Amino acid sequence: MSRVSVTQQIGLMLGISVVFGNCFASRSLAQTLFELDGRAYLVGADGAFLGLVSSNPVDEKSICNQLGDYGNLSGEHSVWNRQGNYGSSKSHLSAYNPSTELPPAIYYRKAQIGFLTVNPQIKNSFDPDLLFQAFCK
């Protein structure tokens, strides 16, 4: 499976038609990102809350707050913690385990819209590095 762009992955997650890298929908990518920003959230397969998909670097629940529990590189519930349950390459609950069958889920409006994982076999998956690029840079 080839890697796809942020636009393609977000479009696929939200059910937007994606053809050759172009989004054809009533919303632009900027509008879609705006809609998800602060409203989507991550939940581990074990039920643990893993943070808001929010570009706000000071929101205590944001995955982009490097000082918060969910955006910190050493936070227990952070997908960015490469030694932790949700960010290591070995944990069965991790977004970065290429063979996991239990990656963190992405929710929007209380409905699961996909998974945060590098495992290409998981349907409706979104690469964690692209999520970081889209919201935290």
Side-chain angles (χ1 to χ4, degrees), residues 41-51 77 86 93 102-105 107:
Y41 56 96
L42 305 176
V43 176
D46 60 355
F49 178 76
L50 302 179
H77 293 103
Y86 309 102
L93 299 173
L102 299 169
Y107 284 83

Side-chain angles (χ1 to χ4, degrees), residues 56-76 78 80 132:
N56 185 343
V58 295
D59 183 327
E60 65 183 27
K61 293 181 181 178
S62 174
I63 61 168
C64 296
N65 181 346
Q66 295 179 354
L67 301 176
D69 293 338
Y70 308 106
N72 191 305
L73 296 178
S74 60
E76 180 182 353
S78 174
W80 314 130
F132 184 84

Side-chain angles (χ1 to χ4, degrees), residues 123-135:
K123 291 183 180 182
N124 299 320
S125 66
F126 194 81
D127 186 286
D129 292 330
L130 289 178
L131 184 79
F132 184 84
Q133 179 184 0
F135 286 94

Side-chain angles (χ1 to χ4, degrees), residues 6-118:
V6 173
T7 304
Q8 290 171 317
Q9 285 200 359
I10 290 172
L12 290 170
M13 283 172 42
L14 296 177
I16 297 170
S17 297
V18 179
V19 179
F20 302 112
N22 297 315
C23 274
F24 296 101
S26 59
R27 301 184 224 190
S28 69
L29 176 61
Q31 289 171 317
T32 302
L33 290 174
F34 178 79
E35 183 68 26
L36 291 175
D37 196 358
R39 294 174 183 95
Y41 56 96
L42 305 176
V43 176
D46 60 355
F49 178 76
L50 302 179
L52 283 178
V53 178
S54 169
S55 63
N56 185 343
V58 295
D59 183 327
E60 65 183 27
K61 293 181 181 178
S62 174
I63 61 168
C64 296
N65 181 346
Q66 295 179 354
L67 301 176
D69 293 338
Y70 308 106
N72 191 305
L73 296 178
S74 60
E76 180 182 353
H77 293 103
S78 174
V79 295
W80 314 130
N81 179 351
R82 293 307 186 102
Q83 308 304 314
N85 286 334
Y86 309 102
S88 78
S89 61
K90 303 216 183 308
S91 172
H92 69 286
L93 299 173
S94 175
Y96 285 98
N97 180 337
S99 61
T100 187
E101 294 180 4
L102 299 169
I106 304 168
Y107 284 83
Y108 172 70
R109 293 187 176 173
K110 298 182 182 180
Q112 184 177 319
I113 61 170
F115 295 95
L116 189 67
T117 183
V118 295

